Amino acid sequence: MLQVNKPTSEINRDFAEADGSASQSLASYLEIIRRQFPTMVAIVSACVILALLYLFTAAPQFTSEASMVIDTRKVQLFQQQSMLGDVAVDAASVETQVEILKSENISLAVIRDLHLVDDPEFTGSDAGLLGSVLSFAGSLFSERHALSEYEQVRKALRRFEKNRDVTRIKGTYVMEVAFTSKDPGKAAKIANAIVDSYIVDQLEAKYQSTRRASVWLQDRIKELRTQASAAQKAVVDFKTTNNIVDTGGRLMNEQQLAEVNSQLILARAATAEARARLDRMNDIQKQDVPDANVADALKNETIVKLRAQYVDMASKESIWSAKYGRDHLAAVNLRSQMAEIKKNIRDELRRIQESYKSDYDIAVTREESIKSSLANVVSESQLTNQAQVQLRELESNAQSYQAMYDNFLQRYMESVQQQSFPITEARMISVATMPLVKSYPKSLLVLAVGLLGGLMLASGVAMARELTDKVFRTTKQVEDTLGVSCVAILPALSTLPVGSRSGWKMPSGRGFGSSNQQPDLLRYVVGNPLSRFSEAVRSVKVAADLNQILRENRVLATTSTLPNEGKSTLSSNLAQLAAHGGARVILVDGDLRNPSLSRALVPDAKVGLVDVIAQKVKLEDALLVDPETQLSILPAGTTSKLLHTNEILASKAMRELVALLRTRFDYVVIDMPPMAPVVDVRVTASFVDSYIFVLEWGKTKIDVVRHNLRTAPEIQDKLLGVVLNKADTKALARYESYQGRYYYQKYYARYGYVE
């Protein structure tokens, strides 16, 4: 049996897998594309054609854009005048304005101002061929009725919102308003109208808010005026009741307390000063004659003069006493005068002492008087403390009501100004103009989407076809799935005109009836020896010849999984080819359930294999010979009443017959029945050298073949190889490039072969 060569070393297999995994993956995708190329081209072409059809039938749409900005400088300019407490514009505020632009209030205002309810574009059927078809289909299943005014407005609103787009330019206060319409002029007009309606709506909203606030402020101001007046009157009445007099923002008793306290401090200082002078004078009284510093400090001219005289006389007395003695009359007189001066000085100091004492007594008396006054003022202040607490509360209430009144009065004046001068932060910075180029449908985008969608759909369909394509199409599939070699791929042959079967005669000389005709498909290799089909059959014969090196391979049996896969055609052409090459070959029809080969080649044969096995006739009497190729054929014989054909094929007589054929012929080709419907093939393993398994290209299911071979290991062990029959050469080129028509036509023509 010819087997697929398998790796013999685990290391070599790992190395090959690591080295070729990426390339094999890419190659597998390329193979899928090559195999499914016509389908993919058809799908992509259909999608592109649909895209082109859509471009030709879709009504062109034009988009015009207008730009507006939220002017923050204007907000800051009028911020101090705003009575509604406007806040600075931030990103959230701009997004809010975008949603306001998209609101139904703005849309309905534009629809009303431009009379879009009367425009067929907004209340008629959808534009384009598709819209017309859908509208017509909808009318078939629903009753038509005239739309009410409300329904027309809602329909126009839906169309309007569908064609309108409002976006904010990221990072700015600029908003773009775009509108799409079949008419470019209408698109620009509506885009500008949306911005104008938004600005008017903002002005109207602020005017209404200001007006409502003014009315509310008027009522509130009246109420606050009454409350402020009542609070102020309560303060005045409380002061009168509690004898509280306010002088320069301070209560009188507080002012008196401060003044008396200041006087007490001054009186205490004066008393301390008088006391200090008196104490100093008492110290001076202890001296006979005050020194110069004391005299100068007293600032008394009398004492100063007396002291000067005393000093002068003391000097003279010391001189006279030293010169004439202490008892001298002049010295005595001087000492008498000095004593008199001392007495005068003491008298003057005593007088000054009495003056200081009088000042000290006056200061003490004054201090005591001020202390008494302070005690009286403190007593009076304590009596009014509780009244002052309540007074402060009344004054605080009065000030609060007055402040609120002033604030609301100011706001009211601002609201009056804003009613006469309304402002808005939004302004248009770019007017929408009539577009010159359509915005929808975008030809390149539609074609790109059609092409890309076609490629994606084609890829999906191709993968689906690959996943669901559970049939044999390539030699690699056969080798990987079944583990045997694919010895040949036979191209599909169309039914050609047939000729006469003159030359086919039985040994007795009886010829075939002239009414019968020879089917050319069963001897195609004879009439077309240089065809691709004949070359593929030669591959089968070469495989059989090479296999004889290992074991005897003279008895070849052809079988298939299901009927009509071409096993009989291969059997006949293989036998014809070998016989035409000069070998002794016999073709045996072993399909006793359905002897189609016998009916096609020798429909008038009365005896055959069954009769030889039953020993009713001799082998020579049942054989037919082709005079051109010298091929011998043994038909099936009469099989209509046979019930157990497998017993016949498994009989000893059948084995003896095959043994006899081995001795007389070089090749014994047996056309066996298919394996799936009957079990006849399995009983022939004892006398068949090799089996040729025929599979119909692109038709035979892989799982069916697997099941049949798995249940018949004796057949699988003797498989010579697999033949893929009825292959479509054009399609085969997409699965295996070396099997392509171009390859064979090019090199067949070089060597004189014909297709």
Side-chain angles (χ1 to χ4, degrees):
M1 178 178 67
L2 290 179
Q3 299 289 342
V4 179
N5 293 328
K6 299 292 183 180
T8 58
S9 173
E10 189 69 24
I11 298 177
N12 293 337
R13 182 171 65 250
D14 295 341
F15 176 78
E17 290 178 355
D19 184 59
S21 59
S23 59
Q24 288 176 359
S25 178
L26 178 60
S28 62
Y29 287 117
L30 294 177
E31 288 177 1
I32 292 175
I33 294 175
R34 186 177 70 243
R35 290 194 293 267
Q36 303 296 333
F37 186 73
T39 302
M40 296 179 68
V41 170
I43 294 175
V44 172
S45 301
C47 292
V48 173
I49 291 173
L50 288 176
L52 291 173
L53 181 63
Y54 174 75
L55 289 176
F56 282 115
T57 56
Q61 302 286 329
F62 298 88
T63 301
S64 182
E65 294 182 353
S67 300
M68 61 172 290
V69 65
I70 304 296
D71 197 344
T72 56
R73 294 175 300 175
K74 184 182 296 186
V75 174
Q76 296 172 358
L77 178 62
F78 294 99
Q79 185 76 25
Q80 58 184 358
Q81 298 181 2
S82 175
M83 58 162 291
L84 299 177
D86 292 338
V87 295
V89 177
D90 55 6
S93 300
V94 177
E95 294 295 338
T96 302
Q97 301 309 312
V98 171
E99 295 302 321
I100 293 176
L101 273 167
K102 296 179 181 179
S103 64
E104 288 190 1
N105 190 24
I106 302 298
S107 301
L108 292 174
V110 176
I111 292 173
R112 181 179 60 254
D113 294 341
L114 300 182
H115 306 286
L116 298 182
V117 177
D118 301 329
D119 193 334
E121 182 179 351
F122 292 89
T123 56
S125 59
D126 291 336
L129 179 62
L130 181 61
S132 301
V133 172
L134 293 177
S135 177
F136 176 76
S139 64
L140 295 178
F141 297 98
S142 61
E143 297 181 359
R144 287 190 174 184
H145 64 279
L147 297 177
S148 63
E149 182 179 357
Y150 174 77
E151 292 175 335
Q152 289 181 345
V153 171
R154 300 309 296 181
K155 185 175 182 180
L157 179 61
R158 288 195 300 271
R159 297 276 181 87
F160 183 89
E161 292 178 345
K162 178 181 178 182
N163 296 335
R164 178 211 59 209
D165 185 31
V166 180
T167 56
R168 175 198 176 191
I169 299 179
K170 188 176 181 180
T172 68
Y173 296 122
V174 178
M175 292 176 285
E176 290 186 347
V177 180
F179 195 84
T180 303
S181 175
K182 294 185 295 183
D183 185 359
K186 186 189 301 181
K189 184 178 180 181
I190 294 177
N192 291 327
I194 293 174
V195 178
D196 293 338
S197 297
Y198 168 78
I199 295 175
V200 171
D201 180 77
Q202 292 296 299
L203 291 173
E204 181 65 22
K206 290 200 171 187
Y207 174 78
Q208 294 296 334
S209 298
T210 305
R211 188 178 62 83
R212 289 193 297 268
S214 299
V215 174
W216 179 80
L217 283 173
Q218 288 180 353
D219 298 335
R220 184 60 176 159
I221 286 172
K222 293 179 181 178
E223 182 181 352
L224 289 175
R225 185 187 297 115
T226 303
Q227 292 175 350
S229 299
Q232 292 175 358
K233 185 177 182 301
V235 171
V236 174
D237 294 342
F238 184 81
K239 287 182 177 180
T240 303
T241 303
N242 293 275
N243 296 320
I244 299 175
V245 180
D246 189 0
T247 58
R250 297 178 62 187
L251 297 178
M252 182 172 288
N253 58 348
E254 292 180 354
Q255 186 175 0
Q256 289 176 353
L257 181 61
E259 292 176 355
V260 171
N261 192 33
S262 299
Q263 292 175 5
L264 179 60
I265 293 173
L266 294 175
R268 286 178 177 175
T271 302
E273 184 180 359
R275 181 65 182 177
R277 288 198 301 268
L278 180 60
D279 292 340
R280 179 61 175 163
M281 186 55 64
N282 292 332
D283 293 336
I284 293 173
Q285 285 291 338
K286 295 177 182 181
Q287 300 177 3
D288 290 338
V289 178
D291 57 16
N293 293 331
V294 174
D296 292 338
L298 293 175
K299 296 180 181 181
N300 189 290
E301 294 179 357
T302 302
I303 294 176
V304 172
K305 290 178 179 181
L306 290 173
R307 185 181 183 285
Q309 292 175 3
Y310 179 82
V311 173
D312 184 48
M313 288 181 179
S315 176
K316 289 178 179 182
E317 189 275 333
S318 64
I319 293 173
W320 283 99
S321 294
K323 186 176 180 182
Y324 299 106
R326 287 185 56 82
D327 295 333
H328 191 274
L329 183 60
V332 173
N333 290 332
L334 286 173
R335 284 194 292 271
S336 297
Q337 292 178 3
M338 289 172 62
E340 185 65 26
I341 291 173
K342 282 183 180 181
K343 179 179 178 299
N344 291 336
I345 289 174
R346 288 190 187 95
D347 291 341
E348 187 65 25
L349 288 175
R350 193 178 297 111
R351 187 186 61 81
I352 293 173
Q353 182 183 14
E354 292 296 331
S355 175
Y356 282 176
K357 183 178 181 181
S358 176
D359 292 340
Y360 173 71
D361 293 338
I362 293 171
V364 171
T365 303
R366 183 170 177 272
E367 181 180 352
E368 293 298 330
S369 177
I370 293 174
K371 285 183 178 180
S372 177
S373 299
L374 179 61
N376 293 331
V377 173
V378 170
S379 177
E380 292 177 359
S381 297
Q382 291 177 352
L383 294 175
T384 58
N385 280 338
Q386 295 181 354
Q388 289 179 7
V389 172
Q390 188 174 358
L391 176 62
R392 291 190 184 94
E393 182 179 356
L394 293 174
E395 288 178 343
S396 177
N397 291 336
Q399 291 174 359
S400 299
Y401 282 120
Q402 185 64 36
M404 292 175 63
Y405 172 75
D406 295 339
N407 186 25
F408 274 80
L409 184 61
Q410 181 182 0
R411 292 298 183 93
Y412 174 73
M413 298 304 297
E414 292 175 0
S415 67
V416 173
Q417 293 178 3
Q418 288 189 0
Q419 287 184 19
S420 59
F421 184 62
I423 61 171
T424 179
E425 296 81 14
R427 63 185 177 89
M428 184 181 294
I429 60 174
S430 178
V431 180
T433 58
M434 185 171 62
L436 301 178
V437 181
K438 68 177 182 178
S439 60
Y440 178 84
K442 297 183 181 297
S443 301
L444 294 179
L445 180 60
V446 172
L447 290 176
V449 171
L451 181 60
L452 181 61
L455 290 174
M456 294 177 64
L457 181 60
S459 301
V461 173
M463 293 301 298
R465 285 172 59 90
E466 283 291 322
L467 294 176
T468 57
D469 189 21
K470 302 298 182 180
V471 295
F472 289 101
R473 294 185 185 273
T474 64
T475 57
K476 187 175 184 301
Q477 278 183 302
V478 174
E479 293 169 355
D480 293 343
T481 305
L482 304 180
V484 297
S485 296
C486 180
V487 295
I489 297 180
L490 301 179
L493 300 177
S494 59
T495 303
L496 303 176
V498 295
S500 64
R501 21 178 324 278
S502 59
W504 282 71
K505 294 184 179 180
M506 298 180 68
S508 61
R510 292 184 294 110
F512 293 100
S514 59
S515 60
N516 295 328
Q517 293 182 324
Q518 174 189 347
D520 286 346
L521 293 181
L522 296 180
R523 59 193 316 269
Y524 188 82
V525 295
V526 179
N528 302 276
L530 300 180
S531 65
R532 181 176 176 180
F533 180 86
S534 301
E535 194 66 20
V537 176
R538 287 191 184 94
S539 299
V540 179
K541 180 179 180 299
V542 169
D545 294 340
L546 292 176
N547 204 28
Q548 286 188 3
I549 299 174
L550 301 177
R551 66 182 182 185
E552 186 179 12
N553 198 28
R554 303 179 66 181
V555 180
L556 303 176
T558 61
T559 184
S560 63
T561 305
L562 299 171
N564 299 322
E565 292 191 78
K567 62 178 181 59
S568 299
T569 302
L570 176 62
S571 301
S572 176
N573 282 277
L574 178 61
Q576 292 278 352
L577 180 68
H580 196 265
R584 295 174 300 166
V585 184
I586 182 172
L587 176 61
V588 180
D589 187 0
D591 190 356
L592 303 183
R593 297 290 185 96
N594 183 23
S596 57
L597 185 62
S598 299
R599 290 196 298 268
L601 292 176
V602 284
D604 297 333
K606 303 299 182 181
V607 294
L609 176 63
V610 176
D611 300 291
V612 174
I613 293 175
Q615 298 181 356
K616 294 181 179 180
V617 296
K618 294 182 179 181
L619 176 62
E620 292 76 6
D621 296 333
L623 290 179
L624 297 173
V625 179
D626 180 6
E628 182 177 357
T629 62
Q630 298 302 311
L631 171 66
S632 299
I633 181 171
L634 179 61
T638 304
T639 61
S640 59
K641 296 182 180 180
L642 295 178
L643 299 179
H644 305 287
T645 55
N646 59 312
E647 298 295 337
I648 296 176
L649 294 176
S651 62
K652 180 180 179 181
M654 180 64 184
R655 292 195 297 271
E656 292 175 352
L657 175 61
V658 173
L660 177 63
L661 295 178
R662 286 178 183 271
T663 61
R664 295 187 180 185
F665 297 94
D666 297 326
Y667 296 97
V668 179
V669 180
I670 306 176
D671 183 29
M672 301 300 294
M675 293 180 60
V678 295
V679 298
D680 293 2
V681 182
R682 299 178 61 179
V683 302
T684 62
S686 59
F687 55 82
V688 173
D689 295 332
S690 297
Y691 290 92
I692 301 172
F693 205 79
V694 180
L695 302 176
E696 185 174 357
W697 185 90
K699 292 292 182 66
T700 306
K701 299 294 183 181
I702 294 177
D703 54 349
V704 176
V705 177
R706 278 178 174 175
H707 174 72
N708 280 274
L709 291 180
R710 190 182 301 114
T711 56
E714 64 278 2
I715 303 298
Q716 189 173 10
D717 292 339
K718 290 188 175 183
L719 277 182
L720 176 65
V722 174
V723 175
L724 293 178
N725 193 21
K726 301 181 184 180
D728 185 350
T729 54
K730 293 182 179 180
L732 183 62
R734 300 195 302 272
Y735 291 87
E736 291 181 321
S737 58
Y738 55 85
Q739 297 285 359
R741 176 182 292 272
Y742 168 78
Y743 177 88
Y744 278 92
Q745 284 182 345
K746 177 180 179 181
Y747 293 98
Y748 272 41
R750 178 181 298 179
Y751 291 100
Y753 293 113
V754 296
E755 180 61 38

